[in-house]
């Protein structure tokens, strides 16, 4: 890697990290696992003056249980998400999706906080956290604040993080045993980005879907909820046919990109098909 | 040792590769690892535009930048840089434009070099590139071959956009098509591919006085040395070229590159060693690309499926310039369109076209994958047209095993083959009949996931090449290969080969050959290659030629050692050479096998030279240069089963069976590796890879995030097997295996996809068959 010149600090505490970031202003960037930032540096598409390496802040690593929810430290690696017993038991969608991200080498370095703060709409975790109804814990010079996922992603690769703020944790609800889940990732090769991804969680009751939440990857400049399909799924019979019907509304209100991997109308089509499949799997429909 | 102890033959053994220990433990020097005192680093500034005039290049800020030693533009080097060579002027009237290694006044593809920075480290060099100001006056890009040939098209070169037209015909093509019961015409697009060798290109050049050593990640140190001498005027004997361990090439390092020439010129200017190593994205822009052809193919057949005639009209994208063998690549395909089939007439025409894109040149298979794709696709379509099983159609037309040697309509004489045996084996391993049944059932039931079966009964021409044929085709060099054997006093052997390995495993395979030929242990053989001062003669490695040409040179050199040893052994044993017979590494007296000398004993006696027969030189060493009489013709039957999700267009390869006939096998492990890698690379063309340009001529697949090279996770488990019909034209009976898988697999996969979708009205899916393209083809089929 031959990046442009930058300064580098490795703070020993969250407070020091926040102080360093605040001092660096707009030209400071956080680096954790580096799996999104390093390629940008290597291609000289990013020119930060200062890298604040939070990799040593071990208090930001790991999953803990709080009342009704799980708090995932921002430095928890994607690999750890795949193995964490709390996530596996209470937030399977996150654990399952993590197995589908990139390749093992990347999964061992990349972090959940980095993936969310990077806010690439083609990344898988933003849509998953959105579908889960999660929120993000942010530490800044003014203290800590909590932002709902729907408010965090503001534009293409842009979040509501201000200069000087550090994403420290992700809070997701514990899902009970009546919830099912599925992440449908559609991609060209095993290690390439999703053309479209559909994250679905559904609560099943008496052979019907009582409630469903759906997050879409790469269907706009930010991860989006498929609200029309969610409404259509609510109360629908938990059958493949009924949920396929609900899925056919998944692209309503989206504005997907056209690029090398797929045109906008193909993405719309995929979102409809994959949402039907994801809902069926989440609802345990045959 | 006595005559009773018969050594197990090495040839045929699945020996683990000798070279792997140092490669996998990091104990080797790749070119980029080479450190020399005073080494400085080159970075190249490349044109961001496809076509432009350079109106100003201001390097003053870059010259002042920290750590910068020198900056060069094309104007600075114009007087000495010459023109990059094209060694294959395929027609007398071919247009070969000047190709300065560094653009002087005009750039003709995005990625062409416009300046070089030399700095103390590569970071400073990269930083200084951003301080060079170049003003361009944009010229219209030329991106489409058909438009490039149309009247009024902007010109890539003053001489126009047509480089050459190369025709070939045999038989009465008009008669073959006249009144033919079935005529099919198809157009296929061979998309542009980017070779993705594991090791990027790299070069180091060290001057000492007026002598130069150049290390390069190249397939062709010998050819490179000759060409660099001709281009730069540096006398050949003052130039040493070394290819250290090289991490793959696939044809991309069969080249004399601008970067190599410039490294040499800059080292000469500065009088100090220089290094350049490309990044992957730089490589995607600037390494020569492969394929990129439009193939119009017409076939005429009888109602019984018998082929009458084949007519091929080809447009081949040269890119912006002709590189080392650019124009010859489609011609290698010219002899392969007829494949394994008999027919009455064949006509071929290739037009070489200039565009403002990266130059193309050899890429694994070089012309033969393209030809094989077109004929195997058309055979499947013809079978569908006739309502015949596509294997039965092929059998009706292929050369029977009793008919060899067979001179094809393209004029090549296939020495051997057994298409019946390979196909029967593949059919059984694949469970052909069961899968056909399942495919029909799924189609009948309207299953959204369809099953298709694809066939490729391919052959290819390897062992490039008989020099006289290369001469007839106007190639600039011969096709021989050289080897020498050095018998060391302790009985160990150094085998020197002109065939320059870059991942193929020559050190292992050649050791096995030498072990058998000289009767020495495998471990006692050291293979030396890749350095023009150590292995002074060679034609290097490409076109699956190493074993069939270079391996035979090794056999011949060993034979000469044996004959020299015979004379010396006879002296030692006080018998006539005629009384000796060779048995397992030992010359022994016929009828009295206890009387004999091993090759090691003879080597030691030769070293001492106390007691040699009168007039016999004290050396067993020998050289051999082998020029083949004919190509070799590996063949095989590959069968692919693909499941197509008609709702999304996703393709899943369910099974893949490859039965290859590469003749005698020296090392089954190496052959297996070549087959697996080759199949993967061919599947990559069918499903994943494409060098894509936008409308301004910018390459939009410049990184591996966008240029999708598949990994093992994207591929099925291959079922491989072999039949072994020995080549009759070389003493080992070998045929070559470096390209077979790549040539075979692309049409097998696309045929499987089209077979699955034909009931839905889909006649073809353009490559790469991405899910969106498959989905669109299904929608268009439904609308039809």
């Amino acid at each position: 890697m031959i990046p442009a010149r930058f300064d580098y600090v490795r703070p020993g505490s969250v407070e020091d990290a926040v102080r360093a970031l605040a001092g660096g202003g707009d030209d400071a960037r956080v680096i954790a696992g580096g799996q999104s930032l390093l390629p940008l540096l290597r291609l000289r598409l990013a020119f930060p003056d200062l890298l604040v390496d939070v990799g040593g802040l071990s208090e930001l690593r790991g999953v803990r249980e709080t009342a009704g929810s799980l708090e995932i430290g921002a430095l928890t690696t994607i690999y750890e998400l795949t193995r964490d017993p709390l996530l596996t038991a209470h937030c399977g969608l996150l654990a399952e999706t993590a197995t589908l991200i990139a390749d093992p080498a990347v999964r061992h370095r990349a972090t959940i906080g980095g993936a969310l703060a990077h806010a690439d709409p083609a990344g898988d975790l933003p849509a998953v956290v959105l579908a889960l109804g999660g929120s993000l814990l942010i530490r800044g010079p003014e203290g800590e604040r909590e932002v709902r996922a729907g408010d965090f992603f503001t534009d293409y690769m842009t979040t509501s993080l201000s200069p000087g703020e550090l994403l420290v944790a992700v809070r997701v609800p514990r899902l009970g045993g009546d919830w099912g889940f599925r992440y449908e990732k559609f991609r060209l090769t095993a290690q390439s980005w999703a053309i479209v991804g559909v994250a679905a969680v559904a609560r099943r009751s008496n052979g019907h879907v009582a409630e469903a939440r759906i997050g879409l990857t790469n269907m706009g400049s930010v991860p989006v909820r498929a609200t029309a399909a969610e409404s259509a799924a609510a109360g629908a019979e938990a059958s493949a046919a009924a949920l396929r019907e609900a899925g056919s509304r998944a692209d309503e209100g989206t504005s997907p990109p056209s690029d090398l991997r797929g045109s906008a109308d193909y993405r719309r089509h995929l979102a409809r098909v994959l949402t039907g499949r994801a809902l069926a799997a989440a609802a345990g429909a045959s | 040792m006595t005559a009773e102890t018969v050594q197990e033959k090495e040839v045929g053994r699945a020996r683990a590769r000798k070279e792997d220990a140092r490669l996998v433990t990091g104990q080797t020097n790749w070119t980029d690892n080479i450190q020399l005192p005073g080494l400085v680093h080159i970075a190249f500034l490349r044109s961001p535009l496809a076509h432009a005039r350079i109106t100003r290049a201001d390097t003053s800020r870059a010259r002042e930048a920290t750590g910068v030693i020198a900056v060069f533009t094309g104007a600075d080097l114009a007087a000495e840089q010459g023109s990059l060579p094209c060694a294959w002027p395929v027609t007398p009237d071919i247009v070969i434009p000047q190709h300065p290694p560094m653009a002087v006044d005009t750039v003709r593809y995005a990625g062409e070099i416009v300046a070089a920075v030399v700095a103390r480290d590569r970071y400073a060099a990269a930083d200084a590139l951003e301080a060079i100001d170049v003003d361009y006056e944009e010229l219209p890009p030329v991106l489409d071959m058909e438009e490039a040939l149309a009247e009024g098209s902007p010109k890539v070169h003053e001489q126009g956009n047509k480089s050459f037209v190369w025709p070939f015909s045999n038989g009465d093509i008009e008669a073959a098509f006249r009144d033919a019961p079935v005529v099919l015409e198809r157009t296929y697009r061979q998309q542009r591919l980017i070779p993705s060798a594991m090791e990027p290109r790299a070069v180091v050049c060290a001057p000492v006085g007026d002598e130069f050593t150049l290390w390069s990640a190249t397939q062709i140190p010998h050819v490179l040395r000759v060409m660099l001498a001709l281009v730069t005027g540096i006398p050949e004997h003052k130039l040493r070229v070394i290819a250290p361990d090289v991490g793959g090439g696939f044809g991309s390092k069969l080249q004399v590159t601008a970067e190599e020439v410039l490294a040499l010129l800059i080292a000469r200017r500065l009088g100090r060693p220089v290094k350049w190593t490309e990044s992957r994205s730089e490589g995607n822009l600037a390494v020569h690309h492969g394929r990129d052809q439009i193939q119009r193919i017409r076939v005429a057949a009888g109602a019984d499926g018998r082929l009458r005639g084949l007519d091929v009209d080809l447009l081949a994208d040269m890119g912006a310039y002709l590189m080392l063998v650019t124009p010859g690549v489609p011609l290698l395909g010219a002899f392969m369109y007829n494949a394994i089939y008999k027919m009455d007439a064949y006509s071929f025409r290739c037009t070489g076209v200039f565009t403002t894109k990266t130059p193309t040149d050899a890429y694994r298979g070089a012309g033969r994958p393209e030809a094989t794709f077109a004929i195997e696709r058309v055979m499947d379509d013809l079978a569908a047209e006739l309502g015949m099983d596509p294997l039965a159609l092929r059998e009706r037309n292929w050369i029977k095993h009793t008919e060899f040697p067979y001179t094809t309509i393209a004029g090549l004489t296939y020495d051997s083959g057994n298409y019946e045996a390979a196909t029967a084996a593949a059919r059984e391993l694949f469970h052909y009949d069961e899968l056909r049944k399942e495919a029909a059932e799924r189609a009948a039931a309207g299953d959204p996931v369809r099953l298709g079966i694809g066939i490729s009964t391919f052959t290819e021409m390897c062992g490039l090449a008989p020099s006289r044929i290369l001469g007839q085709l106007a190639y600039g060099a011969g096709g021989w290969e050289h080897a020498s054997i050095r018998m060391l006093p302790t009985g160990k052997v150094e085998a020197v080969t002109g065939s320059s390995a870059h991942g193929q495993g020559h050190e292992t395979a050649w050791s096995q050959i030498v072990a058998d030929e000289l009767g020495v242990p495998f471990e006692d053989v050291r293979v030396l290659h890749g350095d023009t001062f150590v292995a002074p003669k060679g034609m290097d490695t490409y076109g699956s030629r190493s074993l069939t040409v270079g391996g035979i040179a090794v056999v011949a050199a060993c034979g000469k050692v044996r004959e020299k040893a015979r004379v010396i052994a006879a002296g030692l044993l006080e018998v006539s050479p005629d009384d000796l017979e060779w048995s397992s590494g030992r010359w022994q007296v016929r009828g009295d096998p206890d009387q004999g000398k091993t090759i090691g004993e003879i080597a030691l006696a030769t070293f001492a030279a106390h007691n040699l027969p009168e007039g016999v030189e004290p050396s067993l060493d020998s050289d051999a240069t082998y020029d083949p009489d004919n190509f070799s013709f590996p063949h095989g039957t590959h069968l692919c089963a693909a499941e197509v999700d008609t709702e999304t267009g996703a393709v899943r390869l369910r099974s893949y069976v490859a039965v290859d006939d590469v003749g005698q096998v020296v090392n089954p492990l190496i052959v297996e590796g070549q087959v697996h890698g080759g199949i993967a690379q061919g599947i990559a063309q069918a499903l994943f890879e494409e060098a894509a340009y936008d409308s301004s001529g910018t390459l939009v697949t410049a990184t591996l995030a966008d240029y999708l090279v598949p990994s093992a996770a994207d591929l099925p488990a291959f079922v491989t097997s072999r039949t072994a019909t020995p080549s009759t034209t070389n003493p080992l009976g070998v045929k070559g295996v470096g390209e077979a898988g790549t040539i075979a697999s692309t049409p097998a996969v696309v045929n499987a996809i089209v077979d699955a979708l034909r009931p839905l009205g889909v006649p073809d899916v353009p490559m790469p068959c991405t899910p969106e393209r498959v989905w669109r083809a299904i929608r268009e089929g439904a609308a039809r």
Side-chain angles (χ1 to χ4, degrees):
Chain A
M1 182 177 88
I2 306 178
R5 182 174 293 275
F6 55 80
D7 288 329
Y8 171 89
V9 293
R10 190 176 167 88
S13 68
V14 172
E15 289 66 35
D16 286 350
V18 167
R19 207 169 297 126
L21 285 169
D26 282 340
D27 297 320
R29 291 289 295 268
V30 177
I31 184 164
Q35 300 305 292
S36 298
L37 185 56
L38 291 180
L40 295 179
L41 295 175
R42 174 166 59 79
L43 295 167
R44 296 193 173 211
L45 295 173
F47 296 87
D49 289 334
L50 173 67
L51 287 190
V52 178
D53 183 349
V54 296
L57 306 181
S58 53
E59 67 265 39
L60 298 186
R61 195 158 179 171
V63 181
R64 60 193 187 92
E65 212 165 356
T66 58
S69 64
L70 301 173
E71 206 173 289
I72 306 158
L75 283 184
T76 309
T77 65
I78 308 299
Y79 173 75
E80 287 162 351
L81 298 181
T82 68
R83 294 298 178 93
D84 186 86
L86 285 172
L87 291 178
T88 308
H90 306 299
C91 193
L93 177 63
L94 203 45
E96 181 188 84
T97 304
T99 64
L100 302 173
I101 295 172
D103 56 60
V106 170
R107 290 199 285 272
H108 275 85
R109 296 202 69 89
T111 65
I112 185 171
L116 294 172
H118 186 61
D120 188 333
D124 303 299
L125 292 177
V128 166
V129 173
L130 194 65
L132 289 169
S135 60
L136 299 105
L137 303 182
I138 295 166
R139 198 83 63 81
E142 316 294 319
E144 187 160 298
R145 65 188 179 103
E146 182 167 357
V147 181
R148 293 187 312 160
D151 298 326
F152 181 73
F153 304 103
T154 56
D155 203 345
Y156 180 73
M157 294 177 79
T158 308
T159 68
S160 67
L161 283 168
S162 302
E165 285 191 322
L166 178 68
L167 174 60
V168 292
V170 183
R171 186 170 284 160
V172 293
R174 289 173 50 139
L175 294 181
D178 50 347
W179 284 84
F181 60 86
R182 174 70 128 219
Y183 186 65
E184 284 282 336
K185 182 172 187 174
F186 196 86
R187 52 194 162 168
L188 293 174
T189 63
Q191 295 170 11
S192 59
W193 300 97
I195 301 175
V196 171
V198 178
V201 289
R203 186 163 57 83
R204 184 169 159 150
S205 173
N206 294 326
H208 286 70
V209 172
E211 186 185 351
R213 291 200 301 271
I214 302 160
L216 301 178
T217 296
N218 223 358
M219 286 296 289
S221 58
V222 292
V224 290
R225 287 276 285 271
T227 48
E230 289 176 358
S231 305
E237 191 191 342
S239 71
L243 295 173
R244 176 197 298 257
E245 185 62 31
S248 70
R249 301 190 57 189
D251 63 316
E252 285 181 22
T254 63
S255 40
S258 264
D259 58 28
L260 207 56
R261 296 185 186 84
S263 63
D265 61 332
Y266 180 57
R267 282 197 161 93
R268 287 179 178 280
H269 170 78
L270 280 181
R272 295 192 292 265
V273 172
L274 299 176
T275 299
R277 291 179 182 182
L279 282 171
S286 50
Chain B
M1 187 188 278
T2 68
E4 280 72 34
T5 56
V6 177
Q7 195 186 339
E8 190 190 347
K9 268 180 76 94
E10 277 292 339
V11 166
R13 283 184 71 175
R15 281 282 191 184
R17 302 198 329 166
K18 280 186 171 181
E19 41 276 84
D20 284 345
R22 72 170 186 273
L23 296 178
V24 301
T25 58
Q27 291 185 310
T28 188
N29 266 338
W30 308 102
T31 300
D32 186 53
N33 298 130
I34 293 168
Q35 298 296 336
L36 297 169
L39 184 76
V40 294
H41 297 265
I42 300 175
F44 291 113
L45 184 68
R46 295 176 184 275
S47 169
L49 301 172
H51 197 194
R53 206 161 281 129
I54 300 169
T55 54
R56 190 182 71 104
D58 181 354
T59 60
S60 53
R61 282 199 303 133
R63 283 175 209 277
E64 300 304 315
T66 310
V68 170
I69 291 161
V71 182
F72 299 98
T73 64
D76 298 327
L77 298 171
E80 62 194 277
Q81 68 175 343
S83 183
L84 290 173
C86 171
W88 205 334
V90 294
T91 59
D93 61 349
I94 186 173
V95 172
I96 302 181
Q98 283 292 303
H99 186 185
M102 188 180 288
V104 177
D105 48 27
T106 306
V107 289
R108 294 184 174 85
Y109 66 95
E112 191 167 356
I113 298 171
V114 295
V117 169
V118 187
R120 289 187 203 289
D121 63 61
R122 55 178 61 173
Y123 298 91
D127 288 347
L129 289 185
E130 289 166 14
I132 299 175
D133 298 311
V134 182
D135 291 342
Y136 297 97
E137 178 191 326
E138 281 197 55
L139 298 169
V142 180
L143 302 172
D144 179 277
M145 281 192 275
E146 282 160 337
E147 287 172 19
L149 293 176
E151 210 167 308
S153 166
K155 288 180 179 177
V156 181
H157 297 280
E158 272 176 29
Q159 305 97 311
N161 296 337
K162 189 188 287 180
S163 176
F164 65 88
V165 177
W166 192 90
F168 175 90
S169 70
N170 189 15
D172 188 341
I173 194 76
E174 279 180 29
F177 277 85
R178 197 182 308 132
D179 307 322
V182 186
V183 173
L184 286 192
E185 177 169 344
R186 296 286 184 270
T187 300
Y188 300 118
R189 175 79 204 221
Q190 293 287 324
Q191 80 271 30
R192 180 176 273 255
L193 299 178
I194 303 176
S196 303
M198 192 90 84
E199 183 199 15
R201 296 177 305 154
V203 58
V204 170
C205 184
V208 177
D210 64 350
E211 299 184 354
F212 298 85
T213 302
L214 184 128
W215 291 261
S216 180
T218 181
Q219 295 173 224
I220 54 162
H222 300 92
V223 175
L224 182 59
R225 181 200 200 191
V226 175
M227 290 296 173
L228 287 174
L230 293 173
V231 170
T232 65
I234 293 169
E236 193 181 346
H237 63 295
K238 295 189 173 185
L239 182 57
R240 174 184 189 180
V241 175
I242 300 173
D245 274 323
V246 175
F250 311 116
S252 72
K253 294 168 181 170
L254 163 54
Q255 195 53 272
V256 177
T257 67
E259 293 86 355
E260 287 162 335
V261 172
L262 292 170
L264 184 52
L265 296 179
I266 291 169
R268 181 165 70 176
R269 277 281 191 102
L270 300 179
R272 57 191 296 180
V274 299
K275 180 194 282 188
W276 169 77
T277 302
E278 73 186 352
S279 69
R280 183 64 65 178
S281 43
E282 189 179 19
N284 274 19
L285 280 173
V287 74
H288 73 241
H289 293 176
R291 315 279 191 262
D292 207 346
Q293 299 178 353
I294 297 171
Q295 307 167 294
R296 195 178 62 83
I297 180 166
R298 287 196 312 143
V299 61
D304 61 352
R306 200 184 65 78
L307 293 178
R308 294 185 176 194
L310 181 66
D311 177 29
V312 176
D313 193 356
L314 197 64
L315 297 183
D317 193 343
M318 306 284 101
Y321 301 97
L322 302 184
M323 300 290 286
L324 191 62
V325 296
T326 303
V329 169
L331 272 55
L332 288 174
F335 302 97
M336 284 286 113
Y337 277 90
N338 54 296
I340 62 172
Y341 308 116
K342 298 180 280 190
M343 61 190 73
D344 305 328
Y346 171 50
S347 164
F348 173 88
R349 201 170 81 114
C350 174
T351 307
V353 186
F354 292 116
T355 60
T356 54
K357 294 183 185 172
T358 301
T360 60
D361 207 323
Y363 176 51
R364 201 171 190 177
R368 291 157 287 165
E370 297 93 314
T372 303
F373 179 87
I375 186 68
E376 290 302 299
R377 280 285 296 114
V378 137
M379 289 301 277
D380 259 32
D381 278 5
L382 182 60
E385 183 81 13
L386 293 165
M388 282 180 77
D389 178 276
L391 276 178
L393 175 69
R394 286 168 169 84
E395 185 163 12
R396 179 152 303 166
N397 286 287
W398 70 38
I399 303 157
K400 294 180 176 42
H401 72 276
T402 50
E403 293 176 302
F404 291 95
Y406 183 90
T407 299
T408 71
I409 195 75
L412 296 179
T413 300
Y414 294 179
D415 63 306
S416 65
N418 191 333
Y419 312 135
E420 296 94 326
T423 301
R427 205 183 160 115
E428 191 178 327
L429 286 169
F430 188 69
H431 306 294
Y432 183 81
D433 296 328
E434 290 93 318
L435 284 172
R436 277 268 177 240
K437 189 159 162 278
E438 184 187 333
E441 285 166 0
R442 285 199 190 192
D447 192 326
V449 179
R450 296 298 175 96
L451 177 64
I453 293 167
I455 295 162
S456 173
T457 51
F458 79 104
T459 188
E460 58 153 331
M461 53 197 277
C462 287
L464 306 182
S467 297
R468 67 188 159 78
I469 295 183
L470 291 178
Q472 286 161 16
L473 293 172
Y475 181 58
W480 47 262
E481 193 48 87
H482 178 262
S484 56
I485 297 292
R486 305 204 291 240
M487 282 303 307
L488 304 180
T490 54
K492 313 295 185 195
V493 185
E494 288 175 340
V496 182
T497 175
S499 186
S500 185
H502 46 282
Q504 289 85 352
H506 290 27
E507 290 172 34
T508 305
W510 277 214
S511 293
Q512 291 178 267
I513 293 170
V514 170
D516 279 358
E517 294 295 322
L518 294 180
V520 297
F522 171 78
E523 294 77 13
D524 285 1
V525 185
R526 171 96 194 272
V527 176
L528 302 170
H529 62 93
D531 177 341
T532 59
F533 277 17
V534 174
K537 284 182 69 177
M539 277 294 178
D540 306 317
T541 287
Y542 46 86
S544 304
R545 70 187 303 272
S546 292
L547 183 57
T548 48
V549 189
I552 305 308
V554 170
V555 171
C558 288
K560 292 182 180 179
V561 170
R562 275 201 313 269
E563 286 312 307
K564 286 175 136 183
R566 178 183 204 157
V567 174
I568 291 169
L572 295 170
L573 294 165
E574 299 179 344
V575 297
S576 158
D578 293 340
D579 295 335
L580 295 179
E581 62 185 2
W582 177 258
S583 175
S584 299
R586 189 165 175 273
W587 282 113
Q588 62 193 28
V589 177
R590 213 171 265 132
D592 186 8
D594 288 347
Q595 292 291 314
K597 294 284 180 191
T598 66
I599 193 81
E601 290 165 343
I602 302 166
L604 187 60
T606 307
F607 173 70
H610 296 160
N611 193 19
L612 303 187
E614 193 77 23
V616 170
E617 65 170 353
S619 171
L620 294 176
D621 297 354
S622 71
D623 288 84
T625 304
Y626 174 74
D627 198 338
D629 293 331
N630 193 359
F631 299 95
S632 60
F633 302 96
H635 68 83
T637 297
H638 287 213
L639 300 173
C640 175
E643 289 183 347
V644 182
D645 180 342
T646 58
E647 291 179 350
T648 62
V651 173
R652 187 180 81 88
L653 300 188
R654 185 163 116 183
S655 61
Y656 194 101
V657 168
V659 177
D660 283 280
D661 193 323
V662 297
Q664 297 293 14
V665 167
V666 172
N667 186 318
L669 271 184
I670 291 176
V671 166
E672 193 74 1
Q674 287 280 15
V675 169
H676 277 245
I679 293 171
Q681 219 154 352
I683 291 174
Q685 176 173 12
L687 296 181
F688 303 112
E689 296 186 17
E690 178 171 35
Y693 286 82
D694 68 13
S695 59
S696 66
T698 302
L699 180 72
V700 292
T701 53
T703 75
L704 290 178
D706 292 316
Y707 187 84
L708 298 178
V709 178
S711 68
D714 302 302
L715 301 166
F718 306 138
V719 176
T720 61
S721 185
R722 283 192 298 277
T723 54
T725 312
S727 169
T728 61
T729 58
N730 67 66
L732 288 178
V734 296
K735 301 186 193 172
V737 70
E739 295 155 302
T742 309
I743 291 167
S745 64
T746 311
V749 172
V750 179
N751 275 340
I753 295 168
V754 175
D755 183 58
L757 300 180
R758 208 176 263 117
L760 301 175
V762 175
D764 190 26
V765 180
M767 293 191 292
C769 303
T770 60
E772 179 165 3
R773 286 196 176 137
V774 171
W775 175 70
R776 288 195 183 284
I778 293 168
R779 290 216 307 183
E780 285 161 17
R784 219 168 254 127

